């Protein structure tokens, strides 16, 4: 049944996304695009964009968006609940342990070594997105397929982020305006 | 000034509702706002507690904002306090995304929306790669050989071999567990 599938998929996303929003992106991509085919690569891109420009955790935004699309409002509730259930159980237990013992060196060191893997996952998700905007997907990588405008817009945004540490929301809004203006004068991305 | 228990939970719920509805930009931003509200304004927690809660929220699975809300909720009002805080955190994104989804399905074909979204997609890719590069730089500067090897292996596994993300995280956790055990053994010997 679809509600259970949604619940279980987002349960896995909630259980394995360690380190906040960006860590959830590759997991959401895998569950919704690769494994279940609930979203196309392009729709996933739109989801990431919407999740990034609205308040709230990316995983919950994703759960609501995908749940609604696949099975209406009950789907959104099932996916969102699946997504926060692991937190409810695990963090409650950890919180209890913390208040009893206050320091967890073993746990800290285990979780600390997860960070490099998470960074690699985020980087790979970012590169996949870049390939999507620059080539229309990783299957089409070639000089003849390159979308120059998208690649240029990405490059400018990336350099601005690296150099001036602009607020991400501002950069995205500027990209949106640029996309709209370029589209209006007949240069589609 | 001690608020009654029920009133305290209501304050907790509305504080989280407000913070969750108006903080853009992910877990770390929301934790900063929670600190301002619960430590500086309401004096429900001290600063050290908030820092510990942040670290735990960050290293436990799940959204950082939800994880932080769970801990503050337990501390302030037990089980019902925890549920109040989590509901307050979750309702705004669910409501906002529901509205946007209706809008999205109606306007997915609209060329103006499509052009804007395509432009913004380039920005999202840039934002995500910027985050990855910043964190990767810090890791490279820390010069921990095991961590660097884990990062390289995880990248190859996910990007080229397309191994399920969950296996990659489990393997990395196992490597951390084993190296912590070895370290502890080494410390016992000396």
């Amino acid at each position: 049944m679809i509600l259970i599938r949604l619940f279980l998929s987002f349960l896995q996303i909630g259980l394995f996304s360690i380190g906040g929003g960006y860590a959830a992106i590759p997991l959401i991509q895998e569950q919704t695009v690769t494994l279940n085919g609930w979203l196309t690569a392009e729709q996933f891109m739109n989801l990431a964009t919407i999740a990034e420009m609205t308040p709230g955790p990316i995983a919950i935004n994703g759960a609501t968006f995908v749940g609604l699309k696949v099975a209406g409002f009950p789907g959104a509730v099932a996916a969102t609940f699946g997504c926060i259930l692991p937190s409810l159980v695990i963090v409650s237990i950890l919180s209890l342990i913390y208040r009893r013992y206050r320091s967890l060196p073993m746990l800290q060191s285990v979780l600390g070594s997860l960070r490099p893997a998470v960074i690699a996952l985020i980087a790979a998700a970012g590169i996949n997105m870049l390939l999507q905007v620059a080539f229309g997907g990783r299957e089409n990588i070639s000089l003849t397929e390159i979308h120059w405008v998208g690649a240029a817009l990405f490059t400018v945004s990336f350099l601005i982020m690296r150099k001036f540490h602009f607020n991400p929301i501002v950069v995205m809004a500027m990209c949106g305006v640029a996309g709209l203006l370029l589209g209006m004068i007949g240069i589609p991305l | 000034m001690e608020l009654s228990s029920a009133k305290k939970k209501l304050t907790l719920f509305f504080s989280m509702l407000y913070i969750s509805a108006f903080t853009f930009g992910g877990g770390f931003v929301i934790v900063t706002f929670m600190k301002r509200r619960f430590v500086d304004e309401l004096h429900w927690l001290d600063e050290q507690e908030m820092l510990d809660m942040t670290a735990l929220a960050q290293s436990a699975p799940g959204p950082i904002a939800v994880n932080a809300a769970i801990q503050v909720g337990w501390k302030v009002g037990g089980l019902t306090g925890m549920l109040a805080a989590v509901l307050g955190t979750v309702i705004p994104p669910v409501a906002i995304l529901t509205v946007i989804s209706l809008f999205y399905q109606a306007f997915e074909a609209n060329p103006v929306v499509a052009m804007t979204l395509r432009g913004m997609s380039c920005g999202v890719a840039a934002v995500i790669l910027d985050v990855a590069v910043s964190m990767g730089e810090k890791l490279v500067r820390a010069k921990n050989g095991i961590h660097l090897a884990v990062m390289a292996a995880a990248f190859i596994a996910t990007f080229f071999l397309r191994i399920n993300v969950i296996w990659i995280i489990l393997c990395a956790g196992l490597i951390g567990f084993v190296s912590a055990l070895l370290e502890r053994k080494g410390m016992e010997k000396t």
Side-chain angles (χ1 to χ4, degrees), chain A residues 132-147:
Chain A
Q132 182 71 29
V133 297
F135 298 100
R138 59 188 278 170
E139 297 77 19
N140 306 324
I141 300 171
S142 77
L143 270 178
T144 53
E145 287 290 326
I146 193 163
H147 304 168

Side-chain angles (χ1 to χ4, degrees), chain A residues 5 9 30-39:
Chain A
R5 288 265 303 273
S9 279
E30 176 152 290
Q31 286 291 335
T32 61
V33 181
T34 316
L35 293 179
N36 289 301
W38 287 324
L39 301 179

Side-chain angles (χ1 to χ4, degrees), chain A residues 93-113:
Chain A
I93 293 171
L94 290 178
S95 170
L96 203 78
I97 296 173
Y98 163 77
R99 282 192 288 157
R100 206 150 286 173
Y101 303 102
R102 288 249 157 179
S103 66
L104 301 158
M106 182 71 183
L107 187 70
Q108 292 270 332
S109 86
V110 170
L111 294 171
S113 77

Side-chain angles (χ1 to χ4, degrees), chain B residues 119-150:
Chain B
M120 292 177 89
S121 301
C122 302
V124 177
V127 168
I128 290 172
L129 279 173
D130 174 62
V131 169
V133 170
S134 304
M135 294 195 298
E137 266 178 349
K138 258 182 230 154
L139 197 78
V140 169
R141 249 182 263 130
K143 286 188 182 140
N144 181 318
I146 296 175
H147 287 179
L148 289 176
V150 168

Side-chain angles (χ1 to χ4, degrees), chain B residues 95-114:
Chain B
I96 292 168
L97 255 285
T98 302
V99 173
I100 288 182
S101 292
L102 297 172
F103 177 87
Y104 173 76
Q105 269 156 13
F107 289 91
E108 202 180 3
N110 181 312
V112 173
V113 174

Side-chain angles (χ1 to χ4, degrees), chain A residues 12-22 25-27 30-31 35 42-43 45-57 59-62 64-65 68-69 73 76 80 83-84 86-88 90-92 94-95 98-99 102 104-106 108-133 138-139 147 149-151 153-154 157-158 161-162 165 168-169 171-173 175-180 182-184 189, chain B residues 19-28 30 46 48-50 52-53 55-68 70-71 74-75 82-83 86 89-90 92-102 104-105 108 111-113 115-137 139 146-148 150-152 154-155 158-160 162-166 168-181 183-184:
Chain A
Q12 292 178 52
I13 292 168
L15 187 57
F16 289 101
S17 61
I18 292 163
Y22 294 105
I25 286 178
L27 286 151
E30 176 152 290
Q31 286 291 335
L35 293 179
E42 170 125 26
Q43 285 172 328
M45 209 54 239
N46 288 342
L47 163 62
T49 309
I50 291 168
E52 186 70 26
M53 68 188 194
T54 53
I60 292 178
N61 289 338
T64 307
F65 185 88
L68 278 171
K69 186 171 179 299
F73 195 71
T80 304
C83 176
I84 63 171
S87 287
L88 290 178
I90 294 168
V91 177
S92 291
L94 290 178
S95 170
Y98 163 77
R99 282 192 288 157
R102 288 249 157 179
L104 301 158
M106 182 71 183
Q108 292 270 332
S109 86
V110 170
L111 294 171
S113 77
L114 288 179
R115 214 159 291 145
V118 172
I119 296 171
L121 296 177
I122 295 170
I127 292 171
N128 276 325
M129 288 185 176
L130 169 59
L131 296 178
Q132 182 71 29
V133 297
R138 59 188 278 170
E139 297 77 19
H147 304 168
V149 188
L153 199 52
F154 164 83
S157 312
F158 184 71
M161 294 287 307
R162 294 302 307 154
H165 304 289
I169 308 286
V171 174
M172 285 181 34
C175 282
V177 172
L180 185 59
L182 287 168
M184 280 171 143
L189 288 178
Chain B
I19 292 171
S20 179
F22 291 103
T23 32
F24 295 82
F28 295 103
I30 212 171
D46 63 47
Q48 186 56 48
E49 253 175 327
M50 193 68 223
D52 287 346
M53 285 182 179
L56 213 149
Q58 203 184 318
S59 45
I64 291 179
V66 174
N67 292 349
I70 291 170
Q71 297 177 75
W74 274 112
K75 157 91 192 185
M82 185 273 272
L83 293 175
V86 170
T89 311
V90 169
V94 170
I96 292 168
L97 255 285
T98 302
V99 173
I100 288 182
S101 292
L102 297 172
Y104 173 76
Q105 269 156 13
E108 202 180 3
V112 173
V113 174
M115 284 188 276
T116 311
L117 275 178
R118 295 214 77 163
M120 292 177 89
S121 301
C122 302
V124 177
V127 168
I128 290 172
L129 279 173
D130 174 62
V131 169
V133 170
S134 304
M135 294 195 298
E137 266 178 349
L139 197 78
I146 296 175
H147 287 179
L148 289 176
V150 168
M151 182 162 72
F155 186 82
T158 185
F159 191 76
F160 293 107
R162 298 194 179 191
I163 290 170
N164 192 314
V165 171
I166 288 162
I168 297 171
I169 288 177
L170 286 178
C171 281
L174 192 68
I175 291 169
F177 181 72
V178 171
S179 70
L181 273 185
E183 218 166 89
R184 185 180 279 185

